[in-house]
Amino acid sequence: MKNIVRSSLFVISIVLSTLAFTGTVLAQNQLKVVADTGVVTLGPNQILRVTVGAGDGNDTALVRFRQTEYEPCLASPKLCIRSQTISNPIVLAPHEVAIVDAADYVVWRTVVLSNRRNVKVTGIVFDTSTQRVVTQIMMANTEVDFQ
């Protein structure tokens, strides 16, 4: 009888420790918003380019890009969503970079999601006809969760 109780306790402790470990791993892999361009209006021959680098550490980073294209709403000064896409997860090793562009003469917003807060994010508006940077975007770092 004592052996059955000990065996049962042993099995329960293994199950609980496995569940605790799995929960920790899942929590670390959750993607959260780490940068946001805000709404950017592009002119002719301009693109919005957002670059994400994994940084100098030893850990990989998981990133996704969520892009929203806006258009004027009918009979209103507001903007309406025209299209919204989210990239597949991208795994970045240390010193690797991922880039996403948004083009056309429209209003765009790009949000960067990652499992690491210390990824390096840069946003620029680039003129393809002059091959020059028009402006550098201040990427807002936010604590909002994306689901």
Side-chain angles (χ1 to χ4, degrees):
M1 183 71 159
K2 287 183 182 181
N3 287 339
I4 293 174
V5 171
R6 285 184 189 162
S7 297
S8 298
L9 290 174
F10 179 71
V11 169
I12 290 172
S13 68
I14 289 175
V15 169
L16 290 177
S17 64
T18 303
L19 289 174
F21 176 74
T22 304
T24 303
V25 170
L26 290 175
Q28 291 175 351
N29 287 328
Q30 285 183 338
L31 298 179
K32 297 186 185 257
V33 175
V34 293
D36 187 342
T37 62
V39 177
V40 177
T41 303
L42 300 175
N45 303 316
Q46 292 182 344
I47 61 171
L48 170 62
R49 175 166 289 167
V50 177
T51 306
V52 180
D56 300 336
N58 295 326
D59 295 331
T60 59
L62 186 64
V63 298
R64 291 181 90 172
F65 297 100
R66 183 180 68 188
Q67 291 185 291
T68 307
E69 181 183 4
Y70 295 93
E71 64 185 359
C73 295
L74 296 175
S76 171
K78 299 177 184 178
L79 293 172
C80 295
I81 294 176
R82 181 176 181 185
S83 68
Q84 188 170 359
T85 59
I86 187 161
S87 71
N88 290 327
I90 302 165
V91 179
L92 296 176
H95 306 288
E96 287 187 331
V97 175
I99 298 171
V100 67
D101 289 339
D104 297 328
Y105 186 67
V106 292
V107 181
W108 283 95
R109 178 181 186 188
T110 300
V111 175
V112 178
L113 305 139
S114 180
N115 65 333
R116 287 185 34 211
R117 292 258 178 234
N118 60 344
V119 292
K120 297 181 180 11
V121 183
T122 304
I124 62 169
V125 174
F126 184 76
D127 190 313
T128 57
S129 63
T130 63
Q131 299 294 302
R132 297 194 178 186
V133 175
V134 174
T135 187
Q136 185 165 352
I137 308 289
M138 293 299 295
M139 302 292 289
N141 191 337
T142 178
E143 297 292 326
V144 177
D145 289 340
F146 174 74
Q147 298 179 2

